[in-house]
Amino acid sequence: MTTTVAPAATSSGPRSPRRPRSSGVRRGETGAGWLFVSPVILILGTFLLIPVLMALWVSFSDWTGRGSPLSSHVTFVGFDNYAAITTGGGLQERDFGLALRNNAWYVLLVVPLQTALSLFLAVLVSRRILRARGFFRTAFYFPSVTSSVAITVLWLFLFSFTGPINAILAWFGAEGPNWFNDPRGIFQLGASGGPEWLTSATFLGISWWEWLSGPSVAMLALILMAIFTTSGTFMLLFVAALQNVGYELTEAGMMDGANAWQRFWRITLPQLRPTLFTVITLGLIGCWQVFDQIYTGTQGGPAKTTMTPAYLSYTAAFQNQNWGIGAAIAFILFAIIIAFTLFQRWALRERPVSKRRARAYEPKRVSS
């Protein structure tokens, strides 16, 4: 008796199409999402994006400030405005070089000092053994919520020639300078001149001897004011970050015999890297955009040693009616801020563990 095996039934009809994978968004949710965010997009586009694009056009045009910058009598001049402040060789190039020099020293001194001071204050007020921590947090943060104009006026009084700062210096037998009227660089006080290879070579209209002179005495007073007024804000960011640091790792470091500095440097500080990135980024942006202290206090003097690119952009556009020059300075400043932000993002990136350090944590093989 023979048995026949029926062939497997195959569907001759067309296969049903596969259902697309669910994207997690229901039908209609995309349109509702765009509907809810459209007011914000409309507001930002109207009051932020469109003015920025118009300012970019002004930096490439010869607009005089009269009428619309999009009118027919406004012509495209290319990079002439940028060339005038970078390679023009006249007063505009020198002013831009001085402003860039002043602001570079301002950033170089303010950002590290305010970051270190704010981190120190945060660690100090986060100690459990410290009494009245709320009072100290409020006291350190209070200058940050005070009007910058009021702080600047107070600073002009404190650092005047007959002010309290010079009076305190006189108690110790030192004669204080005339702070806001002294244009000398702090690194070249008492020097009559520099070597020829530094005084003859120039960059952006000023010599390398002037680039290396450091901030002026007047700018030094503004640097101290910036550190005093901004450290409290960044202290709160570090305090919030320290509250999320795992105490278990610190106890493990204590069990391994690590001292207080080693626990802070090897355990606490690496966990503060995101906050450190935020603090440095905000510090860079704020320092490169410093304006109100200069406008209220020194007006760029003495001898243009406190002039910054932001203040120079204002004077070029609103006082001298060189709107293209003012817009060009603003966009160069924007490019500088972006470059510094990308650099410090690269410097604070997460680095993989090196092979040498990885071998130290590998289990040792026991020879039989």
Side-chain angles (χ1 to χ4, degrees):
M1 181 177 180
T2 59
T3 59
T4 59
V5 179
T10 57
S11 59
S12 58
R15 296 183 179 180
S16 59
R18 295 182 178 179
R19 294 182 178 178
R21 294 183 178 179
S22 177
S23 60
V25 179
R26 297 178 181 178
R27 181 179 300 177
E29 288 185 352
T30 303
W34 282 108
L35 181 62
F36 280 110
V37 301
S38 57
V40 178
I41 295 176
L42 182 62
I43 293 174
L44 291 179
T46 304
F47 297 101
L48 181 63
L49 181 59
I50 294 178
V52 168
L53 294 178
M54 291 183 65
L56 183 62
W57 160 249
V58 169
S59 69
F60 290 105
S61 69
D62 60 351
W63 186 51
T64 60
R66 294 187 179 93
S68 172
L70 302 178
S71 60
S72 58
H73 68 273
V74 178
T75 59
F76 177 77
V77 297
F79 288 93
D80 290 352
N81 293 324
Y82 292 89
I85 59 178
T86 54
T87 59
L91 182 61
Q92 290 177 340
E93 180 187 359
R94 177 170 175 80
D95 285 347
F96 180 69
L98 286 172
L100 203 62
R101 188 276 310 266
N102 300 335
N103 215 152
W105 281 111
Y106 186 90
V107 172
L108 188 63
L109 293 178
V110 170
V111 173
L113 291 177
Q114 75 179 5
T115 303
L117 179 60
S118 59
L119 180 57
F120 171 76
L121 294 177
V123 173
L124 185 65
V125 300
S126 297
R127 296 176 63 89
R128 299 181 179 180
I129 61 175
L130 179 67
R131 295 182 179 179
R133 288 183 295 175
F135 168 78
F136 286 107
R137 291 180 183 180
T138 305
F140 293 147
Y141 182 67
F142 184 75
S144 300
V145 299
T146 307
S147 171
S148 60
V149 175
I151 292 290
T152 304
V153 173
L154 175 63
W155 223 252
L156 290 173
F157 164 72
L158 293 176
F159 283 84
S160 62
F161 185 67
T162 57
I165 299 299
N166 283 350
I168 294 174
L169 294 177
W171 292 346
F172 296 95
E175 183 179 357
N178 192 359
W179 291 89
F180 288 105
N181 292 297
D182 196 338
R184 297 175 297 169
I186 61 173
F187 296 146
Q188 297 176 359
L189 291 176
S192 58
E196 184 180 356
W197 62 278
L198 285 178
T199 56
S200 59
T202 61
F203 176 66
L204 291 178
I206 61 175
S207 65
W208 285 107
W209 175 253
E210 294 177 282
W211 278 97
L212 299 176
S213 63
S216 65
V217 177
M219 180 61 83
L220 180 62
L222 295 176
I223 288 172
L224 296 176
M225 181 178 66
I227 297 172
F228 172 75
T229 55
T230 57
S231 297
T233 302
F234 298 141
M235 176 201 70
L236 292 186
L237 297 179
F238 281 122
V239 167
L242 286 171
Q243 293 176 353
N244 295 325
V245 173
Y247 190 70
E248 298 80 7
L249 297 176
T250 304
E251 287 183 337
M254 296 174 62
M255 295 295 294
D256 291 339
N259 55 34
W261 171 252
Q262 290 173 337
R263 294 196 302 270
F264 173 78
W265 184 258
R266 298 292 184 181
I267 299 176
T268 304
L269 191 59
Q271 298 182 74
L272 299 178
R273 183 173 293 159
T275 306
L276 194 63
F277 171 78
T278 303
V279 168
I280 295 178
T281 301
L282 295 177
L284 284 172
I285 295 174
C287 288
W288 279 111
Q289 293 180 343
V290 58
F291 171 79
D292 46 354
Q293 297 90 338
I294 308 300
Y295 179 80
T296 307
T298 62
Q299 301 283 319
K304 300 180 180 180
T305 56
T306 60
M307 183 172 56
T308 60
Y311 183 76
L312 180 62
S313 176
Y314 162 77
T315 56
F318 291 92
Q319 294 183 3
N320 301 330
Q321 299 300 309
N322 291 326
W323 294 90
I325 297 293
I329 295 173
F331 278 97
I332 292 177
L333 186 60
F334 171 75
I336 291 174
I337 293 174
I338 294 298
F340 271 87
T341 303
L342 293 177
F343 172 76
Q344 65 99 10
R345 182 187 180 95
W346 171 83
L348 294 176
R349 71 189 188 280
E350 291 284 348
R351 293 178 175 83
V353 180
S354 62
K355 295 182 179 180
R356 181 178 60 84
R357 289 189 176 182
R359 292 195 200 100
Y361 295 97
E362 291 179 355
K364 297 181 179 180
R365 297 180 180 178
V366 180
S367 56
S368 55

